[in-house]
Every structure is written in C-alpha cells, then in structure tokens.
Amino acid sequence: MSRSEHPASPLVSTRRSFLKTTALGAAALSVPSKTLWTGSPKRRRQDDRLGYALVGLGNYATYQLAPALQETSNCYLAGIVTGTPEKAERWKEQYGIPDSNIYNYENYDEIADNPDIDIVYVVLPNSMHAEYTIRAARAGKHVMTEKPMAVSAAECEAMIAACEEANVKLGVGYRLHHEPFNREVKRIGQDKVFGDIKFLETGFGFRIGNPDQWRLKHELAGGGAMMDVGIYAIQAARYTTGEEPISVTAQEIKTDPVKFATVDETMFWQMEFPSGAISSHTTSYASRVERLFASAERGWVELSPAYSYGGLSGKTHEGPLNFPQVREQALHMDHFADCVATGRPHITTGEMGLQDMKIIEAIYQAAATGTRVVVG
Ligand code: NAD
C-alpha cells in the first residue's frame, strides 16, 4: 500500500480529499486482564525513560509511532529492526540511533543482550505479529504488537502463553483507548449517562488502492477489511457497552472477486449482548465509512469520523462534543511504558486482542455458514 492509500496516512487528506485521515485503535474495555503481568517492576533508566524498539519500519512506524516517540515522557525510540539497510541509515541519521541498537530480521534475537531496549513494538504485516512477539518475549522484552493482535485466536493464545512464561507484559496497539472522543463515548455508555445502551451502529472502511499490497494477501493479512479496520468497529461496540457479544450473524459482499480473491472486501454483521443491546456493523475495502453511533434509553451519542488520527467529530442529542486533538500513540506508548516501569496493569492487554480475534472468527464463520454463531 502506498502512503497515500491508507486512511491512516497523513497524506490522505491532502491527496485524496474524499478519504479523510483515519486510523485504528480503540477505546478502553472494561474487560479485566485474566493474566495480569506479575513480574517485578522494571527499574527506570537514569533519565527515567524506557527504550522502545520498533520492528518493521513501514507507514505506521514511520509516520505515526516514531514521531509520537519524540513526544513521550516515559519512553523513547531506542532501537529499530528492519530488513532494509537504507532505512536503517535514514533512521539512524534522523533519530540518532546507535549502530548497536539497529537489528535486522536475522539477528533480531540478539536484542536479548541489549539493555537499552525494554519494549519491542511489532509493526509488521498481521501474520508476522505472533512470531515476532513470541521471539521478543523469549528475548526477555516486554511486547506491544499492532492490531490485529494476530491472525487467529490460537496464535493470540500462544503469544499470551509466551509472554506469561517469560514474565513480560503484552499489549496491543489499540490507540483509541487514549483518545478523548472515544473515551467519552465509553464513559457515556458504561456509566449509563443516558441509560442503558439499546442499539449500536459502528463501521469502518475505506477504498483500498494498489492490488499488490500485503493487505490483500491472505497469507500476510489473515483477512481483509475485517482484520484491518473492522476490528475498530468491534472494539467500539465492546468499549461503548462494556459488554462482550454473545453471538453474531454476518454477511459478506464481494464486488471485485479478482482484487479480493483471498480476503474479504465488504462485510456486514450483527451482534447481541448480554444486556439485550443489539448492534449492526460494517467494514469495507470498497467504500469509506467511519462511524460510531450508540442509542440509549434517554439519548444518543455519535462520532463521525470516529477512529482517525485527528479531526474527530462528535455530538449527542444534547449538542456537540468538544475535545482537544491528542497524539494518542504517544499517550498509548507512555501508558504502557509506565505500566512496565511500575508493574501496574495496562489497558490494552493481550486478552483484549484475543477476544477480538474470537469475535472475528465467529463473524467469518457466521458469514460462511449463514447461521447465528455463538462467540467462543
Ligand atoms: P506497511 O506496509 O506500511 O509496513 C509494513 C512493514 O513490514 C514494512 O516496513 C515492510 O518492509 C515490513 N515487512 C517485513 N516483512 C514483510 C513482508 N513479508 N511483506 C510485507 N512487508 C514486510 O504497513 P503498515 O500500515 O505500517 O501496517 C503495519 C501494521 O500496523 C499492521 O499490522 C497494521 O494493521 C498496523 N497498523 C496500525 C495502525 C493503528 O492506527 N494502530 C495504523 C496503520 C497500521
């Protein structure tokens, strides 16, 4: 995917006005971690900041995470892992990264011996998240991995087990848990500000370009729009209700069977929650949609755009919502670093990522069989 194609790209709004900047992540869930990290708190370095190493220097690492790491207080960009020597040179120059903190995919495991690197952040294509997370854990490093956490629930379970065994923390890059508009929707929903949530509509999609990119190859992406951005719509429903869906029904529509030969193009799905709330969702690689709408007993809240890096907009039946724009990636990485340093539990756990993957698997199964599927 070229930099201008992804809705999260900073160039999107300038090059393609019909696609507003968008990004992924999601706001906080109430689901407690079943396996809280139990290691002893990491002592902070002299300058009080922990070192992150970014693995995979693609668009998200380059245009969001590295700039965000220039704004963090609890952590900094200590190292990189890349298969491209030219990128290594460029990043070394731009961010003053010492040679000793630059790795490639062959010598990646040697990161175990590097005391500068406390946290490894995996920003590779989806199907590589599990392997590089497990190897980081075995190297004794705390791990943040991008969404989707992996391409199956079984992989997520293996990642959680590896991190537990190594006694390191595992987080997933759901940055919207630190974004004010989404946090407000979570508060309204979970604190029942307008009463019980009865109905939700959430959707995230964009028009994808280059047909050769990894996002359209099942072996690298694990799925299509659902894995990439549909996961935001799932997260939104979970953090707005504070509940876990019991069951799903789903439908898939493919208008271009060549381009989307191995991954889903557009999907609609519906979920039922224990309280009786019901929801309807959309994800697509064919059209732009970016909305979070929740209707409660005495009112409603809506965000649109809902998940972008900036320019979010929201209102309730009482009027507009106004919050400052933040760089949620910086808040997200600072939060995780602080939790590593202090031993406190972090928000976006591996269990949260695993639960999303169980829901996605149920949605795929429901679409394939045309039946209502209970979430595992
Ligand atoms: P990208 O294509 O821009 O970058 C992928 C990187 O992986 C590149 O540096 C590429 O060289 C490297 N790579 C290594 N092996 C590869 C292989 N076999 N095939 C392809 N690339 C390979 O992708 P991206 O947009 O940076 O996405 C990376 C991850 O970050 C994905 O999991 C994506 O879902 C996630 N992401 C998250 C957000 C967010 O807001 N949280 C936004 C964008 C992307």
Side-chain angles (χ1 to χ4, degrees):
M1 169 180 287
S2 81
R3 204 177 138 205
S4 61
E5 284 166 0
H6 196 275
S9 162
L11 293 188
V12 168
S13 54
T14 52
R15 290 196 188 162
R16 294 191 177 183
S17 56
F18 65 93
L19 281 180
K20 283 203 164 176
T21 51
T22 298
L24 338 278
L29 281 215
S30 61
V31 188
S33 166
K34 280 186 242 124
T35 49
L36 292 181
W37 178 71
T38 52
S40 45
K42 171 96 194 167
R43 181 164 294 128
R44 292 187 188 203
R45 217 179 299 295
Q46 258 186 343
D47 71 357
D48 213 30
R49 293 181 302 160
L50 299 189
Y52 270 86
L54 297 178
V55 187
L57 308 181
N59 288 324
Y60 193 55
T62 303
Y63 301 111
Q64 297 302 327
L65 297 179
L69 281 165
Q70 312 312 303
E71 298 176 13
T72 43
S73 339
N74 301 329
C75 51
Y76 71 106
L77 178 59
I80 50 176
V81 181
T82 175
T84 314
E86 300 77 49
K87 280 189 196 169
E89 276 309 306
R90 213 162 51 238
W91 281 62
K92 174 181 160 181
E93 186 76 20
Q94 185 169 359
Y95 294 112
I97 300 168
D99 286 331
S100 54
N101 292 2
I102 299 176
Y103 295 85
N104 55 45
Y105 298 114
E106 281 69 50
N107 65 15
Y108 175 60
D109 303 289
E110 292 169 19
I111 218 162
D113 305 320
N114 192 329
D116 287 353
I117 292 163
D118 304 285
I119 301 166
V120 165
Y121 197 145
V122 179
V123 206
L124 291 163
N126 308 342
S127 69
M128 301 171 76
H129 293 180
E131 178 191 337
Y132 283 84
T133 294
I134 291 168
R135 284 168 66 182
R138 288 184 182 152
K141 305 299 175 182
H142 302 276
V143 200
M144 176 65 65
T145 187
E146 256 316 313
K147 45 55 61 181
M149 179 172 164
V151 294
S152 70
E155 280 191 350
C156 295
E157 280 161 358
M159 294 156 85
I160 291 169
C163 290
E164 278 176 359
E165 199 172 314
N167 214 7
V168 296
K169 277 184 181 280
L170 171 59
V172 183
Y174 294 129
R175 62 184 168 70
L176 289 178
H177 288 256
H178 299 276
E179 191 288 312
F181 283 92
N182 282 272
R183 287 173 68 89
E184 176 63 0
V185 172
K186 178 195 170 204
R187 187 188 72 82
I188 290 171
Q190 294 198 18
D191 291 356
K192 302 187 188 302
V193 174
F194 304 144
D196 288 343
I197 299 286
K198 306 302 278 183
F199 175 71
L200 294 113
E201 272 180 359
T202 71
F204 197 11
F206 68 102
R207 195 170 167 79
I208 201 162
N210 176 10
D212 299 324
Q213 62 191 286
W214 66 261
R215 280 183 166 82
L216 298 177
K217 297 187 171 101
H218 194 274
E219 70 274 19
L220 285 166
M226 174 61 66
M227 282 278 181
D228 193 16
V229 287
I231 195 167
Y232 287 89
I234 294 169
Q235 276 266 310
R238 292 177 67 200
Y239 57 72
T240 303
T241 58
E243 296 179 49
E244 297 306 327
I246 301 166
S247 66
V248 299
T249 48
Q251 305 79 39
E252 181 184 354
I253 292 179
K254 221 179 268 260
T255 63
D256 187 340
V258 176
K259 185 169 182 177
F260 302 101
T262 65
V263 299
D264 47 282
E265 176 189 323
T266 298
M267 293 193 73
F268 303 100
W269 72 102
Q270 304 77 39
M271 306 202 287
E272 293 173 78
F273 292 85
S275 64
I278 51 171
S279 62
S280 172
H281 312 271
T282 309
T283 190
S284 182
Y285 269 163
S287 294
R288 179 167 189 273
V289 53
E290 191 182 336
R291 182 168 181 251
L292 193 178
F293 174 80
S295 183
E297 290 168 304
R298 295 187 299 279
W300 52 266
V301 59
E302 178 173 32
L303 301 183
S304 187
Y307 317 109
S308 302
Y309 300 142
L312 301 196
S313 176
K315 59 189 176 198
T316 73
H317 64 286
E318 293 172 333
L321 293 172
N322 293 302
F323 292 102
Q325 185 168 331
V326 300
R327 197 193 280 272
E328 60 258 32
Q329 291 87 354
L331 299 174
H332 172 67
M333 288 187 282
D334 257 348
H335 167 73
F336 190 67
D338 182 57
C339 292
V340 166
T342 60
R344 281 198 283 265
H346 59 289
I347 300 174
T348 59
T349 59
E351 285 75 14
M352 183 185 284
L354 166 63
Q355 178 64 11
D356 281 338
M357 199 52 57
K358 286 181 178 171
I359 296 168
I360 288 175
E361 287 182 348
I363 292 168
Y364 281 142
Q365 193 189 338
T369 59
T371 58
R372 173 180 178 271
V373 173
V374 172
V375 178

